[in-house]
């Protein structure tokens, strides 16, 4: 049974009064709930948000489903998001992504058996001069080589 | 040659702190602005010829002039949702010079009479958002934001709002929807945001670089600002260069600068092969060939004459090992992924473009599908609420006619003309 932590509740209450309309608090609150819930937002969590925010579930879901940064199902401890837009593709990220899947016996978008990783291909992250790059959780990792990228994943426990 | 007006102090790490920024003359222009009449600031920005640096290139002063005098509260929104593929200038500006953006915003807010502004930043820019939040706190503590700024009697509050992953929120009305706590779907114009924007109140949306450029205009005057650039493309601009060059990065050069000089001088020349093509203004801008690059100058009018656009100033250089069919597939995938789904020509069209170009690569296309691609693209243009549909169609209408031989070869032979038979297919 999902419950909002006291910290999350306090955060949401503060956000509700921060903007001109309380609906503007939906996005920041979804971020906070996702952080509390190990990187994804469950249906139960949406209901809990609806109650504390006094905003209909459908209204929150509409926002939740529109934006790609809110995860709709569990993700690994490290969410490895490999940019596969133009500049990064040119620098070999599609091949790198295939290598990641092979080496970790992973399926795109699914949590690996050991719970460590979810691999996702994403669109341009605005770091094209340092291609190839990827984002792991909140951090950018730039100027990768196949070796440095694999080494980086090895070190993430 | 680089002319560093906005980026002059970017190599100084201390520039991102309030003290470091002030040590280089930071917030002096704000002081000057408070000694001016707001309408004179608007007039100066108009006279400078500054055009929106986010992509559309609309004259900033003219945009400000659209605000109605109806006594309603006005909002200033900074568009920091830098999502146009291959653009990374605003990220650098926010990370290296957050106070420059804040000062530019306060001056602009004073000029247009706004007491509340937001920086809408794309969700992925977590670090830049943190840098901004820290700088905003510093500014509040120093009395540069809040009530009676610098004793001027002018009040202004500034906040950061993080998006959550949606290219469409870089479209100004999509951004407004998102800030209002909705899906980031664009709204029909008119009414334009200046008349009815955020919460249906008069709202000005300007790009990060545009707001920063207000500082040198007010500091040195419109005439001095115009010393760089051309008649219709005044000032300097940041260009994000990526792809097959030896030194990718952001470069500030006067508008009107030769593209080939930027590639050869600042960017250290083409890497890994001969120059083949360039996307001159983000992936929405139709591609230009090596011959066209030789003639291109980096200003709004030259690139428009070439049937493409300056856009956000992001340039991707491609050498002769790049397969244009493959490039188009990557680009089409992006727009299909990012269509908000509101308008049929875009929702369906972006999918069709991606499916058609993919079928060329998987060997399921017929030669007639090349014309079908262009037909679909043509039917997507100018028929939707916002410009995303056009942004998806234009690159197709650039790449297909200019590199038709590569599409024909792929369909006839079953492999890329450029990369050869041994190269596998990449599914994306």
């Amino acid at each position: 049974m999902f419950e909002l932590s006291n910290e999350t509740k306090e955060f949401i209450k503060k956000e509700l009064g921060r903007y001109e309309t309380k609906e503007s608090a939906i996005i920041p609150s979804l971020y906070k709930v996702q952080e509390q819930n190990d990187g994804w937002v469950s249906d139960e969590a949406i209901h809990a948000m609806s109650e504390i925010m006094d905003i209909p579930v459908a209204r929150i879901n509409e926002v939740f489903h529109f934006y790609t940064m809110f995860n709709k199902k569990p993700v690994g401890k490290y969410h490895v998001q490999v940019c596969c837009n133009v500049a990064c593709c040119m620098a070999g990220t599609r091949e790198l992504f295939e290598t990641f899947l092979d080496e970790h016996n992973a399926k795109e978008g699914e949590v690996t058996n050991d719970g460590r990783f979810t691999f996702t291909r994403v669109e341009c992250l605005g770091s094209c001069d340092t291609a190839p790059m990827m984002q792991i959780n909140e951090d950018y990792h730039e100027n990768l080589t196949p070796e440095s990228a694999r080494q980086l994943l090895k070190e993430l426990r | 040659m680089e002319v560093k007006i906005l980026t002059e102090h970017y190599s100084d790490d201390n520039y991102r702190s309030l003290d470091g920024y002030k040590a280089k003359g930071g917030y002096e222009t704000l002081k000057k602005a408070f000694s001016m009449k707001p309408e004179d600031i608007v007039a100066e920005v108009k006279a400078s010829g500054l055009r929106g640096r986010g992509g559309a290139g609309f004259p900033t002063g003219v945009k400000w002039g659209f605000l109605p005098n109806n006594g309603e509260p006005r909002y200033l929104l900074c568009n920091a949702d830098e999502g146009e593929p291959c653009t990374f200038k605003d990220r650098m500006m926010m990370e290296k010079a957050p106070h420059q953006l804040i000062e530019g915003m306060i001056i602009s807010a004073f000029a247009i009479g706004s007491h509340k502004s937001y920086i809408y930043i794309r969700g992925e820019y977590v670090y830049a958002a943190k840098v901004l939040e820290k700088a905003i706190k510093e500014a509040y503590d120093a009395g540069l934001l809040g009530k009676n700024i610098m004793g001027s009697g002018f009040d202004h509050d500034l906040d950061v709002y993080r998006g959550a992953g949606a290219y469409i929120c870089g479209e100004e009305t999509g951004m407004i929807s998102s800030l209002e706590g909705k899906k980031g779907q664009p709204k029909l114009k008119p009414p334009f945001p200046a008349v009815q924007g955020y919460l249906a109140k008069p709202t000005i949306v300007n790009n990060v670089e545009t707001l920063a450029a207000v500082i040198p205009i007010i500091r040195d005057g419109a005439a001095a600002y115009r010393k760089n650039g051309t008649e219709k493309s005044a000032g300097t601009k940041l260009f994000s260069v990526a792809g097959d060059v030896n030194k990718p990065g952001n470069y500030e050069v006067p508008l009107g600068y030769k593209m080939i000089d930027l590639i050869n001088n600042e960017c250290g020349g083409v890497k890994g092969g001969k120059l083949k093509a360039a996307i001159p203004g983000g992936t929405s801008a139709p591609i230009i060939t090596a011959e066209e690059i030789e003639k291109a100058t980096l200003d709004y009018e030259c690139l428009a004459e070439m049937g493409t656009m300056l856009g956000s100033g992001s340039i991707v250089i491609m050498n002769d090992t790049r397969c244009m069919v493959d490039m188009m597939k990557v680009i089409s995938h992006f727009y299909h992924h990012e269509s908000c789904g509101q308008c049929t020509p875009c929702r369906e069209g972006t999918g069709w473009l991606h499916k058609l170009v993919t079928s060329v690569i998987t060997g399921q296309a017929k030669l007639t599908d090349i014309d079908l691609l262009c037909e679909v693209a043509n039917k997507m243009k100018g028929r939707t609420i916002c410009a995303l549909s056009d942004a998806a169609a234009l690159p197709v209408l650039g790449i297909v006619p200019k590199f038709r031989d590569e599409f024909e070869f792929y369909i006839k032979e079953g492999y890329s003309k450029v990369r050869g038979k041994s190269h596998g297919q990449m599914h994306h």
Side-chain angles (χ1 to χ4, degrees):
Chain A
M1 178 70 195
F2 178 85
E3 270 184 50
L4 297 171
S5 69
N6 286 335
E7 190 198 326
T8 305
K9 280 183 191 164
E10 285 311 305
F11 177 90
I12 293 176
K13 281 178 193 161
K14 228 170 108 189
E15 290 294 306
L16 282 168
R18 181 171 168 178
Y19 312 100
E20 281 76 0
T21 58
K22 69 174 186 177
E23 283 78 10
S24 300
I26 298 174
I27 288 180
S29 300
L30 280 167
Y31 272 125
K32 187 70 185 173
V33 170
Q34 179 158 288
E35 182 191 307
Q36 186 202 318
N37 196 42
D38 299 324
W40 71 292
V41 182
S42 63
D43 197 39
E44 276 185 320
I46 298 277
H47 279 83
M49 280 177 67
S50 166
E51 200 163 306
I52 190 173
M53 298 180 85
D54 194 24
I55 295 174
V57 168
R59 185 72 184 71
I60 298 174
N61 263 329
E62 167 188 320
V63 172
F64 175 54
H65 286 278
F66 188 79
Y67 299 93
T68 56
M69 288 179 70
F70 299 128
N71 296 312
K72 283 81 193 174
K73 56 184 189 180
V75 290
K77 187 175 173 193
Y78 301 102
H79 189 191
V80 181
Q81 300 160 85
V82 182
C83 174
C84 288
N85 203 282
V86 176
C88 280
C89 257
M90 290 168 69
T93 47
R94 287 179 295 187
E95 292 82 354
L96 184 67
F97 189 78
E98 297 296 327
T99 313
F100 284 167
L101 293 187
D102 280 351
E103 287 191 356
H104 295 272
N105 197 18
K107 271 196 205 134
E108 176 164 17
E110 306 285 334
V111 184
T112 52
N113 286 336
D114 58 7
R116 275 164 72 209
F117 298 113
T118 295
F119 296 99
T120 314
R121 283 179 293 190
V122 296
E123 297 297 348
C124 187
L125 293 169
S127 189
C128 320
D129 54 338
T130 53
M133 67 82 66
M134 61 184 173
Q135 183 174 19
I136 302 181
N137 297 343
E138 290 191 340
D139 299 323
Y140 277 24
H141 299 272
E142 305 167 295
N143 294 311
L144 300 168
T145 63
E147 295 73 33
S148 74
R150 282 149 73 193
Q151 185 59 33
L152 183 65
L153 295 195
K154 264 185 205 158
E155 286 162 11
L156 295 175
R157 287 287 153 193
Chain B
M1 224 184 81
E2 275 192 278
V3 176
K4 296 187 178 181
I5 291 183
L6 296 175
T7 60
E8 188 183 356
H9 303 294
Y10 279 21
S11 57
D12 176 4
D13 280 342
N14 206 23
Y15 195 59
R16 75 177 58 142
S17 72
L18 180 58
D19 288 345
Y21 184 67
K22 277 187 155 175
K24 304 288 186 191
Y27 291 105
E28 288 299 319
T29 311
L30 179 60
K31 204 184 282 172
K32 180 180 176 184
F34 283 144
S35 73
M36 296 168 71
K37 283 189 198 144
E39 55 268 34
D40 292 342
I41 298 174
V42 177
E44 202 68 23
V45 171
K46 237 179 227 175
S48 76
L50 174 66
R51 295 170 66 165
R53 301 296 194 228
F58 193 81
T60 307
V62 177
K63 197 182 213 182
W64 291 3
F66 289 155
L67 285 166
N69 278 316
N70 56 6
E72 285 194 300
R74 295 165 168 187
Y75 292 98
L76 173 66
L77 306 181
C78 169
N79 189 342
D81 192 66
E82 185 170 60
E84 181 64 29
C86 304
T87 315
F88 45 91
K89 65 185 179 71
D90 297 337
R91 176 177 160 229
M92 177 185 79
M93 295 189 83
M94 293 185 285
E95 290 181 358
K96 293 201 182 281
H99 283 286
Q100 185 184 44
L101 175 57
I102 296 168
E103 183 179 9
M105 286 184 73
I106 306 170
I107 297 170
S108 304
F110 177 66
I112 64 169
S114 162
H115 300 291
K116 182 70 199 258
S117 61
Y118 285 98
I119 300 171
Y120 184 101
I121 184 169
R122 64 180 294 189
E124 293 88 345
Y125 284 1
V126 181
Y127 177 67
K130 282 180 185 161
V131 171
L132 282 170
E133 274 167 1
K134 192 177 165 203
I136 289 170
K137 188 176 180 303
E138 280 182 319
Y140 267 107
D141 291 346
L144 295 164
L145 281 171
K147 298 273 175 215
N148 190 21
I149 298 168
M150 287 175 149
S152 63
F154 180 69
D155 304 337
H156 191 75
D157 283 304
L158 169 57
D159 206 348
V160 175
Y161 194 85
R162 279 179 70 206
Y167 168 71
I168 196 60
C169 293
E171 198 281 342
E172 58 182 5
T173 58
M175 197 182 100
I176 289 169
S177 296
S178 181
L179 186 60
E180 290 169 342
K182 301 173 191 154
K183 291 186 276 191
Q185 290 186 321
K187 303 173 187 186
L188 201 60
K189 295 185 263 195
F192 287 91
V195 179
Q196 269 185 44
Y198 178 52
L199 305 173
K201 299 283 184 269
T203 303
I204 291 295
V205 184
N206 286 140
N207 170 259
V208 174
E209 188 185 351
T210 311
L211 290 162
V214 170
I215 301 172
I217 292 167
I218 299 308
R219 184 187 62 208
D220 309 327
Y225 187 75
R226 277 189 170 279
K227 280 188 183 146
N228 287 298
T230 69
E231 161 87 43
K232 286 180 182 161
S233 303
T236 59
K237 163 121 191 60
L238 270 74
F239 288 90
S240 305
V241 192
D244 296 319
V245 287
N246 286 306
K247 288 193 284 178
N250 285 306
Y251 298 97
E252 184 180 4
V253 296
L255 286 164
Y257 192 58
K258 281 186 173 169
M259 192 181 213
I260 194 73
D261 287 347
L262 179 66
I263 297 169
N264 287 334
N265 301 341
E266 280 70 31
C267 300
V270 180
K271 180 177 78 174
K274 271 175 30 191
L275 181 62
K276 177 174 182 175
I279 297 172
T283 55
S284 309
I287 205 160
I288 53 176
T289 61
E291 297 79 59
E292 290 171 303
I293 293 168
E294 293 286 344
K295 288 180 245 158
T297 53
L298 297 168
D299 48 72
Y300 298 98
E301 53 275 25
C302 171
L303 291 170
E305 268 168 36
M306 286 186 163
T308 184
M309 57 188 178
L310 186 83
S312 53
S314 44
I315 303 173
V316 191
I317 303 299
M318 295 171 188
N319 67 28
D320 57 359
T321 70
R322 303 298 175 185
C323 168
M324 290 299 146
V325 182
D326 182 45
M327 287 293 118
M328 210 199 97
K329 187 168 77 125
V330 175
I331 294 170
S332 299
H333 179 272
F334 173 77
Y335 292 104
H336 180 41
H337 183 262
E338 299 297 340
S339 173
C340 85
Q342 207 176 186
C343 312
T344 312
C346 177
R347 183 185 61 243
E348 300 299 318
T350 52
W352 270 96
L353 293 180
H354 184 244
K355 270 183 209 159
L356 280 167
V357 69
T358 302
S359 73
V360 174
I361 291 172
T362 55
Q364 290 155 310
K366 302 186 291 277
L367 279 171
T368 51
D369 287 338
I370 301 175
D371 289 330
L372 185 58
L373 259 172
C374 294
E375 200 185 316
V376 172
N378 271 316
K379 285 182 176 161
M380 291 168 67
K381 281 197 304 173
R383 288 180 161 87
T384 51
I385 290 174
C386 84
L388 193 145
S389 193
D390 295 67
L394 289 172
V396 174
L397 297 170
I399 290 182
V400 176
K402 285 178 186 172
F403 297 96
R404 194 179 176 101
D405 58 319
E406 290 188 30
F407 286 79
E408 285 174 355
F409 187 95
Y410 223 130
I411 293 169
K412 282 187 205 153
E413 307 296 332
Y415 60 90
S416 166
K417 184 180 179 183
V418 180
R419 298 200 292 191
K421 214 172 191 169
S422 57
H423 201 287
Q425 297 166 0
M426 290 308 310
H427 293 286
H428 184 160

